[in-house]
Amino acid sequence: MSFARSLLRVKPAEQLSADGSHSELNRTLGLVPLVALSVGATLGTGIFVVLAEAAPAAGPAVVVSFVLAGLAALCSALSYAELAGSVPVSGSAYSYTYATLGEIIAWICGWCLLLEYGVSVAAVAVGWGGYLNEFLQGTIGVTIPDALAAPPGEGGIVNVPAAIVVLMATGVLLLGVRESAWATTVTTVLKIAVLVFFVAVAFTAFNSGNLVPFAPAGIAGISVGASAVFFSFIGFDAASTAGEEARNPKRDLPRAIILSLIIVTAIYVLVAFAAVAAVGSGVLGESDASLAAALRLVTGQSWPAVVLALGAVIAIASVVLTVLYGQTRILVSMSRDGLVPPMLSQVNRRSVPARNTLLVGVLVALLASVVPLNQLAEATSIGTLVAFGLVNIGVVVLRRTKPELQRSFRTPFMPFVPLLGLALCAYLITGLDAVTWMTFAIWTAIGLGVYFGYGRRKSRLNQLEHAVR
């Protein structure tokens, strides 16, 4: 096989499914835990943390930014749903791309997912300290100093709470997937209840004047806002990483992906609208704990803000837990394919990839403690958009190359929905700034160096080809 052809070798969908069916991971998750995993990985990121970053850029039209990002995510989610029902393995977009577009594209996709997951965990963890301080101030009257609780660049030196919440989530993951799923389900219900409480209180202070001008920066502002919040829709991707731990993945994964996206988008839009109408988009950008600050302004009392802050502490911790879970499972698939070291797919007696989980947890904790929030969020967005774009291409390719493959869900209006998803991803990428592009280019270059220095030689497909010769 020529060098060029070896880069584009595909791993057949049947082989991927066979590898997944012999996985050492335990199949314990039904539909409800999968939906909770999906919602848990999403709900909290865009509302509790990134709304403060996106609202000043888009103005009241940040609501439209969420709708636009949700539409782009929906098109991609439908493609994910078909591939998850066809190739139910833990590698998510990485595995789907391996089955359709070839090894080097799969590697780039997997490398983007590592950026997406690892950096999004860090981005969410950075915002945890703000809400923790809000809760501590309202209950015991003390706060952690900004030097130890604020993001670097915003008065902080080292964000200790961010590192702590990542390490706590790592500890829960090491207990096992059943325990992690139970914790995720409970915390997801709690944070939905807290957000419903926020909406009910915020609407008592509804002021239509806060919605004018609706889009002060026009379409450009809406696009910038949508690009910034898009990473908060990666929850359904986390559900697809549970393909080898779902009891009935072909049936439940597509349902969980679509249901979770509908739930999350509805809540995002409702909360963003209530917040902007109550206090205005400019006020939301003045605090890392923007929703808690909004409640204090609306009510003139501290207890509603304390309730909201407690909900945010729980919500953000659950996002950290579920997204960290997704990253470890993608590494399991990449390791099993030989593209990263084999120790990352080894599991302990609890069927947990312990070394993988510890490594990821420590690295992400370090990242969360020293990198500013806005840079983290945008770096996550570009990794997410590239991965989603590749999935939209992959579902079209697999329809053509494997028309006979059993599919428990079929993307409607093929190929228009995936192509629309691809176009929207490309459009949202243009809203990211030059620094983000530079970061992504450096990350991709490092990834290609790792692939050509290690992954290509150690690839299982490469070794099988040499064995046949």
Side-chain angles (χ1 to χ4, degrees), residues 1 5-6 9 460-469:
M1 178 180 291
R5 289 185 60 190
S6 72
R9 56 193 169 207
R460 278 186 59 196
L461 288 186
N462 186 58
Q463 292 178 353
L464 287 172
E465 288 168 2
H466 282 290
V468 169
R469 292 175 192 170

Side-chain angles (χ1 to χ4, degrees), residues 229-324:
V229 303
F230 187 81
F231 92 99
S232 61
F233 286 89
I234 67 172
F236 67 83
D237 182 85
S240 69
T241 65
E244 293 171 28
E245 289 160 291
R247 287 198 295 266
N248 191 342
K250 284 185 173 289
R251 183 195 68 188
D252 290 342
L253 285 180
R255 294 180 181 181
I257 288 169
I258 295 170
L259 277 173
S260 63
L261 184 61
I262 292 171
I263 292 169
V264 165
T265 303
I267 293 174
Y268 276 175
V269 170
L270 186 61
V271 173
F273 180 70
V276 171
V279 299
S281 57
V283 173
L284 293 174
E286 295 175 359
S287 170
D288 290 332
S290 55
L291 297 189
L295 282 187
R296 186 179 294 106
L297 286 173
V298 166
T299 64
Q301 302 179 52
S302 61
W303 71 265
V306 171
V307 172
L308 196 284
L310 176 60
V313 168
I314 294 170
I316 294 172
S318 72
V319 172
V320 171
L321 172 66
T322 50
V323 178
L324 203 63

